Amino acid sequence: MTSADWRSGQRPCFLSTSPWVRFPQLKNAFLVYTGALFANSGNYKGFGDTKFIPKLSKESFELIIKASKAYERDGTHVTKLWENTKNLVYSVAPRLTSLGLANKGVTTYFSSNCTEEDSNLVNDWMKTKRIEAYICRTFKTIEGDGLPLFTIHLASVEASSKPPLTMGKEKYKNAYFQVTRGDYAPLLSLVNENLNKAIKHAANDNERNMLKHYINSFKEGDLSEHKEGSRFWIKDKGPIIETLVQVGLHELLGHGSGKLLRQNADGTFNFDKEKVKNPLTGKAIESWYSEGETYDSKFTTLGSAFEECRAEAVGLYLSLQPEILKLFGYEGEEAQNVAYVNWLSLLWNGAAKATEMYQPSTETWLQAHARARFVLMRLVELEGNGLLTVTEVEPGKNLLLTLDKTRLATDGKRIIGDFLVKLQTIKATGDVAQGERLFDTYSKLEEPWSRWRDIVMLHKQPRNIFVQPNTVHKGDDVELKSYPASAEGMIAACVERFPSTRVDDILEQLAEADHKYFVDLEQLAD
């Protein structure tokens, strides 16, 4: 895996038609944009959710398109694609500059006429039906009586009616709701076609069962089947591939731990109400999850950042445990150094890189991990009594972050441990209001951080894009094919990874079918 930093000025000739030769700077801008598009699977950043546009004019972009072999072969089709997308590619209308719901951005999880209130109403109805919103999209239309109809589309190969997965139209709180399936059917059919091939090469029964349940989930639109597949996935313990002191702990023991206190459908509880006490108050448990409620349905927009913060905190806390570090192959002084670097890296990230993901104009965070890391950094800064300090060493130019290595195993462990108790208690009891208060305390960019973000932005570096290798069959062997760390290498890797246009054709057809649900976004772009 190589990092492609395209500021190097390397511009090997990718095409030899006259526009490239006469205007090499246009070529480079076009290739960089195309490479970034492939790397992010779209024109919004995979980390940060903000839009990026080409660094060349619309007219120059069109000139390059019309110089292509694709245009020479089928100019009518290429012209149609360009005309349908050119305004959306270049538009910087506020709503189109980031991903989000309603006036906060664009999303295809909801039709563009859905508001945040609509989203809350849909969540309320789905809760009554015990539906989790992981494999569905929601489109709003208006019925003859003027009431909205929310159609929840389940992603699946099968499109026929199949209760209780699908549901006929019913009224709830002055709106209609129905559940259908078959969303993205052509793509999921391709996925299952290849997953069936993968079964033949599975290493053990866990892998085979995992794939079979995933296939059934994608075929039927049944989320419970996907969960069952994941249960087999976590049993598949080899080969061990994770070598990083934070990622392993974050994913397995962070996200993989923590009980939710719940009231069952029959009125019983999954905990002893008489004995279990709230560790933050010492009193009896006063809130929990009721039937049909999930963590995501209760915590909604706060949920991702809150959960990422909990997982990162688990990684920090456990990285101070000698027996944990020994599992990763570190002991003695080396283990202490690894723990220190782990803390320093994450807290520096929270101070520097994370604040790039904050949008001052809307006072919102564009990325859950970024907000989570900023919260942990501010926690240690505010509660550590000098454990972590940030100082403006050059006014308006440079900040210095200092972390006291000698206090990590004592004060650091105590601060993060106490915070973890808060995070887990709030999550376990479904206390959203307290969670929001806690995060508001630590994730606001007040002075001096609102000003220090400007210093961070002065030092912002172009984002690395990773050029992925491909595997190629050579008889009975498999060969790993790598590519240059350049825009051309990125494009070549993607083109060779997807030699057929079958997926592109399907995506175009799906986009045309959904077009009517997003017309107002085109009007914004115009």
Side-chain angles (χ1 to χ4, degrees):
M1 188 181 294
T2 52
S3 169
D5 185 344
W6 299 327
R7 295 171 297 153
S8 60
Q10 294 179 349
R11 297 172 182 168
C13 190
F14 191 70
L15 293 175
S16 59
T17 50
S18 57
W20 302 111
V21 175
R22 288 181 297 170
F23 306 108
Q25 71 277 13
L26 298 184
K27 167 196 168 183
N28 198 51
F30 179 82
L31 294 179
V32 167
Y33 176 77
T34 305
L37 197 76
F38 281 134
N40 292 278
S41 298
N43 59 340
Y44 290 82
K45 295 176 183 176
F47 192 93
D49 294 348
T50 52
K51 184 179 182 179
F52 55 90
I53 64 174
K55 198 175 181 180
L56 71 164
S57 70
K58 193 182 298 184
E59 294 72 24
S60 297
F61 204 114
E62 184 172 330
L63 176 68
I64 292 170
I65 287 173
K66 290 184 175 179
S68 69
K69 291 181 180 178
Y71 184 83
E72 183 180 320
R73 286 194 300 266
D74 190 357
T76 301
H77 187 208
V78 172
T79 298
K80 173 193 167 186
L81 293 175
W82 172 241
E83 291 299 323
N84 287 346
T85 58
K86 64 182 181 181
N87 290 337
L88 288 166
V89 167
Y90 278 89
S91 177
V92 289
R95 185 179 173 186
L96 302 181
T97 56
S98 62
L99 299 180
L101 179 62
N103 61 335
K104 294 181 180 178
V106 295
T107 177
T108 57
Y109 286 108
F110 289 86
S111 54
S112 58
N113 61 346
C114 283
T115 65
E116 192 164 344
E117 291 74 20
D118 291 331
S119 172
N120 292 334
L121 179 60
V122 170
N123 283 336
D124 287 345
W125 180 80
M126 292 177 74
K127 190 189 307 179
T128 68
K129 302 297 181 181
R130 300 183 67 185
I131 300 174
E132 297 179 70
Y134 290 112
I135 58 170
C136 63
R137 299 193 296 159
T138 301
F139 292 161
K140 181 173 84 169
T141 55
I142 303 299
E143 291 289 271
D145 60 3
L147 295 181
L149 166 64
F150 295 98
T151 302
I152 290 91
H153 297 282
L154 298 177
S156 67
V157 175
E158 298 292 341
S160 60
S161 175
K162 188 181 180 181
L165 290 175
T166 61
M167 300 180 190
K169 188 169 72 172
E170 67 171 51
K171 195 172 183 180
Y172 175 81
K173 291 187 177 179
N174 222 28
Y176 297 107
F177 295 83
Q178 64 182 8
V179 180
T180 66
R181 62 177 183 163
D183 204 19
Y184 289 105
L187 288 179
L188 287 174
S189 181
L190 276 179
V191 170
N192 275 0
E193 183 181 308
N194 285 279
L195 288 179
N196 271 305
K197 294 177 182 178
I199 289 178
K200 300 173 185 177
H201 305 281
N204 52 54
D205 285 341
N206 281 328
E207 292 183 3
R208 274 185 286 274
N209 286 324
M210 173 191 75
L211 292 170
K212 287 176 181 177
H213 283 288
Y214 285 163
I215 289 168
N216 202 40
S217 173
F218 296 148
K219 179 185 177 184
E220 301 293 338
D222 189 345
L223 181 62
S224 65
E225 281 289 303
H226 199 283
K227 291 181 177 179
E228 191 63 27
S230 296
R231 292 186 180 99
F232 283 103
W233 174 72
I234 61 174
K235 294 177 183 177
D236 192 31
K237 300 178 181 179
I240 297 173
I241 59 171
E242 188 54 70
T243 58
L244 293 176
V245 171
Q246 185 67 24
V247 174
L249 298 174
H250 170 116
E251 300 295 349
L252 185 59
L253 298 179
H255 291 313
S257 66
K259 180 176 180 176
L260 302 184
L261 305 185
R262 181 179 302 281
Q263 184 176 26
N264 302 313
D266 61 2
T268 61
F269 292 84
N270 69 344
F271 65 99
D272 190 331
K273 280 192 69 182
E274 302 302 318
K275 295 181 179 179
V276 177
K277 304 297 181 184
N278 185 319
L280 304 182
T281 65
K283 299 178 181 178
I285 301 297
E286 298 176 341
S287 61
W288 47 78
Y289 293 80
S290 58
E291 183 69 10
E293 288 184 328
T294 66
Y295 172 75
D296 289 311
S297 71
K298 284 185 74 71
F299 281 77
T300 61
T301 54
L302 175 65
S304 292
F306 195 90
E307 174 62 9
E308 293 301 336
C309 187
R310 194 180 69 92
E312 294 283 35
V314 168
L316 289 178
Y317 187 86
L318 292 180
S319 72
L320 298 174
Q321 301 292 114
E323 59 270 31
I324 295 290
L325 289 166
K326 188 175 181 181
L327 290 175
F328 286 86
Y330 303 110
E331 296 184 76
E333 186 178 353
E334 184 183 26
Q336 294 177 20
N337 290 334
V338 166
Y340 173 67
V341 169
N342 183 51
W343 276 65
L344 182 62
S345 174
L346 190 142
L347 296 175
W348 173 85
N349 200 302
K353 303 303 292 183
T355 50
E356 293 178 7
M357 300 296 165
Y358 181 79
Q359 196 168 54
S361 60
T362 58
E363 296 184 342
T364 56
W365 289 89
L366 300 174
Q367 220 287 328
H369 293 81
R371 188 182 185 189
R373 290 163 187 164
F374 184 80
V375 164
L376 290 171
M377 183 278 299
R378 285 290 282 158
L379 169 76
V380 178
E381 182 192 17
L382 293 173
E383 309 297 333
N385 193 25
L387 173 61
L388 175 76
T389 59
V390 181
T391 53
E392 191 171 351
V393 290
E394 289 184 86
K397 293 183 179 180
N398 272 308
L399 302 174
L400 175 66
L401 182 145
T402 306
L403 179 66
D404 189 344
K405 179 181 179 181
T406 64
R407 296 173 56 195
L408 290 186
T410 53
D411 296 324
K413 187 175 182 180
R414 172 182 52 80
I415 292 168
I416 293 296
D418 291 346
F419 195 62
L420 262 176
V421 172
K422 290 182 182 179
L423 294 175
Q424 179 53 36
T425 302
I426 290 169
K427 180 182 179 182
T429 59
D431 193 344
V432 183
Q434 188 175 1
E436 288 176 340
R437 287 194 296 271
L438 185 69
F439 258 51
D440 284 344
T441 299
Y442 293 109
S443 67
K444 279 187 178 179
L445 257 72
E446 299 173 328
E447 278 294 325
W449 278 103
S450 57
R451 177 169 48 84
W452 283 354
R453 180 183 177 274
D454 295 334
I455 298 177
V456 170
M457 297 304 289
L458 281 177
H459 296 275
K460 183 178 179 180
Q461 298 295 310
R463 184 171 301 181
N464 287 334
I465 291 177
F466 295 98
V467 182
Q468 304 285 358
N470 285 323
T471 52
V472 182
H473 279 279
K474 294 289 186 181
D476 292 333
D477 295 325
V478 175
E479 180 182 283
L480 187 70
K481 184 174 181 181
S482 298
Y483 301 85
S486 64
E488 288 90 337
M490 182 75 204
I491 295 167
C494 289
V495 168
E496 292 186 14
R497 190 173 303 125
F498 303 105
S500 169
T501 61
R502 188 176 173 189
V503 170
D504 305 277
D505 295 337
I506 291 172
L507 287 171
E508 186 179 348
Q509 293 162 13
L510 291 172
E512 289 178 353
D514 288 348
H515 175 261
K516 59 186 176 183
Y517 299 111
F518 303 97
V519 172
D520 57 330
L521 297 182
E522 286 189 359
Q523 295 169 347
L524 283 177
D526 293 340

